[in-house]
Amino acid sequence: MRVVVGQGSCGIAAGAKKVYDGIAAAGERCFSLEITGCIGMCYLEPIVDIYEGESLVKRLVRVGEGDCERIVSAVNGGDLSALTDMEISEEDKSFLALQTRIALRNCGIIDPDKISAYEAKGGYGAIRKVLSTMTPEAVIEEIKVSGLAGRGGAGFPTWFKWNAARASVSDKKYLICNADEGDPGAFMDRAVIESDPHTLIEGMLIGAYAIGASEAVVYVRAEYPLAIKRLEKAIEDATAKGYLGSNILGSDFSCTMRIKAGAGAFVCGEETALIESLEGKRGMPRLKPPFPAQRGYNDLPSNINNVETFANVAWIILNGGEAFSAMGTENSKGTKVFALTGKINRGGLVEVPMGKTLRHVIYDIGGGIRDGKKFKAVQMGGPSGGCIPESLLDTVIDYKCLGATGAIMGSGGMVVMDEGTCMVNMARFFLDFTAKESCGKCVHCRIGTKRMLEILSRITEGEGREGDIELLEELCVGIKDGALCGLGQTAPNPVLTAIRYFRDEYEAHIKEGKCPAGECGALISYSIDAEKCVGCSLCSRNCPVGAISGVVKTPFVIDAEKCVKCGKCATVCRFGAVKKG
């Protein structure tokens, strides 16, 4: 038997390394102890899988250090029924059962540190096929047939970019992977690199062969230390086995690969700003044209795609472009990976065919909203995207349909919000992010986002003015039209969609001085319902500033001037007497 402990960043943060060490230290074992990456069920970590050969016989979830000796004893004794209390439920099994995994096909299944584990799953079979039977033009044609579009956000046809770089005449070309995943709440690329680094390497090799590149670079944010560590080892192992370097697999094709750790600037997700950073300059976007395919890194032809895009390539080559294009919609082919986060019961990584609805992902896979609360909106595309309300939950997931809502597919962040989320404050949060991340090169983005943030902050602090909504809309249009790159052009999206679908919340803040969601501290007040209060004094005893007074067994009262609106009184009251308004 094999006992496999999930060791992605999410699992390690939840205690998976301690679980692994605990099993290792529990005494003699008649089974092998191994690691794997993140299978995507982040809400159930730490996860321990028990295999008989290649067959999964038991999946244990939310495993703690105290369970280690029991696991060792049960596996050694061959009586896994003793572990039933830790076994994944049938309901949670649907999280994976409802997905179609291509980019994530090996995540949480293989050991990311062993190239042999990747090869055992057919790894590097695609590059063997390419080098032995396909011309670069044939590779590009297969990608064209697949309909694979860039998964970094823009959804630009992958084959077109590859073909443009191929057509550029130069003695040297570069293939670059954009792993600078900067959207709050997005972790798809990190999970792929941590869990299946060789699928990225193989996809990049195929891309490099197609465009004629002899050097490949992975630009990954330095905040991903585990991803960098595992990718470094994967590159070393691939080089040692002849998949990287000179005359790969005995062919005329040669390609090296290296990693560049970026400093974590959101703007470096834009391809020309990324190139500037690669060259050792400050990450700021360039004017286009010329496009990177003509003059990119070091002024030489370059092609840039993100991690998820490359993670699909080997599968497409082995299974055929038509198999990939058979999934999805007319305008959006294949599958898409989403990081499902926020006020959701089952958060983690989700990969579904294009064409599924938001409702399917949030309710069927994600299990709906936590604590039985009501769904309010889902933020798609991070700071560059927009919020989609409940009335549009049946929107089909593809580039065109999501774009029609005012949001975007983006790289795949899907942040779910419940009734307790203030949409004005949500817009302020994302504007705060983009204003800080603006490189400052163009006035519209540098100054415009700051002015918008000031207005949104004023509104959430109860100092909104008549005309603020219209002023925000005017600024949004100006920034979208005048900004140089995608960061500035899409920065207004969260604000525009929040105004479009939740204008009444903006008006309540400005005209009534109220936050309907009860989230904006300056607009919140607490009071005690005398009819419900039994005079237990629990609220008074827990108030950190002594703002609650009264006599035991009679209704207590809150001094509004002393109250710091911490909400402790509402939390401790057992009778629902404390009202938030």
Side-chain angles (χ1 to χ4, degrees), residues 152-188:
F156 199 77
T158 301
W159 77 270
F160 191 92
K161 292 180 74 172
W162 288 15
N163 195 53
R166 171 106 196 135
S168 293
V169 179
S170 176
D171 292 334
K172 186 174 180 63
K173 299 178 184 179
Y174 293 96
L175 185 90
I176 301 167
C177 174
N178 180 354
D180 189 61
E181 190 171 47
D183 288 6
F187 51 95
M188 301 79 60

Side-chain angles (χ1 to χ4, degrees), residues 1 3 22-23 26-31 50 67-83:
M1 279 193 169
V3 173
I23 294 174
E28 288 190 21
R29 306 187 306 273
C30 66
F31 57 86
I50 302 172
D67 300 316
C68 295
E69 289 188 8
R70 187 154 64 102
I71 291 171
V72 173
S73 177
V75 179
N76 280 343
D79 182 16
L80 300 183
S81 63
L83 306 174

Side-chain angles (χ1 to χ4, degrees), residues 182-194:
D183 288 6
F187 51 95
M188 301 79 60
D189 293 350
R190 172 178 62 76
V192 170
I193 299 174
E194 288 180 357

Side-chain angles (χ1 to χ4, degrees), residues 195-257:
S195 306
D196 191 14
H198 289 284
T199 201
L200 171 60
I201 293 172
E202 187 171 18
M204 291 182 69
L205 275 170
I206 294 167
Y209 173 77
I211 72 169
S214 58
E215 185 174 338
V217 184
V218 183
Y219 186 98
V220 58
R221 58 197 304 109
E223 292 95 332
Y224 287 175
L226 183 60
I228 292 173
K229 178 183 176 183
R230 288 182 177 166
L231 184 59
E232 283 175 341
K233 185 178 189 308
I235 291 173
E236 289 174 6
D237 291 347
T239 302
K241 294 207 71 171
Y243 296 122
L244 284 170
S246 300
N247 303 113
I248 295 171
L249 299 176
S251 71
D252 293 332
F253 173 58
S254 300
C255 184
T256 60
M257 186 175 294

Side-chain angles (χ1 to χ4, degrees), residues 479-503:
I479 295 169
K480 287 177 78 73
D481 289 345
L484 176 62
C485 80
L487 185 149
Q489 291 162 8
T490 58
N493 285 349
V495 179
L496 284 172
T497 52
I499 292 174
R500 178 176 176 181
Y501 300 118
F502 300 96
R503 194 181 189 96

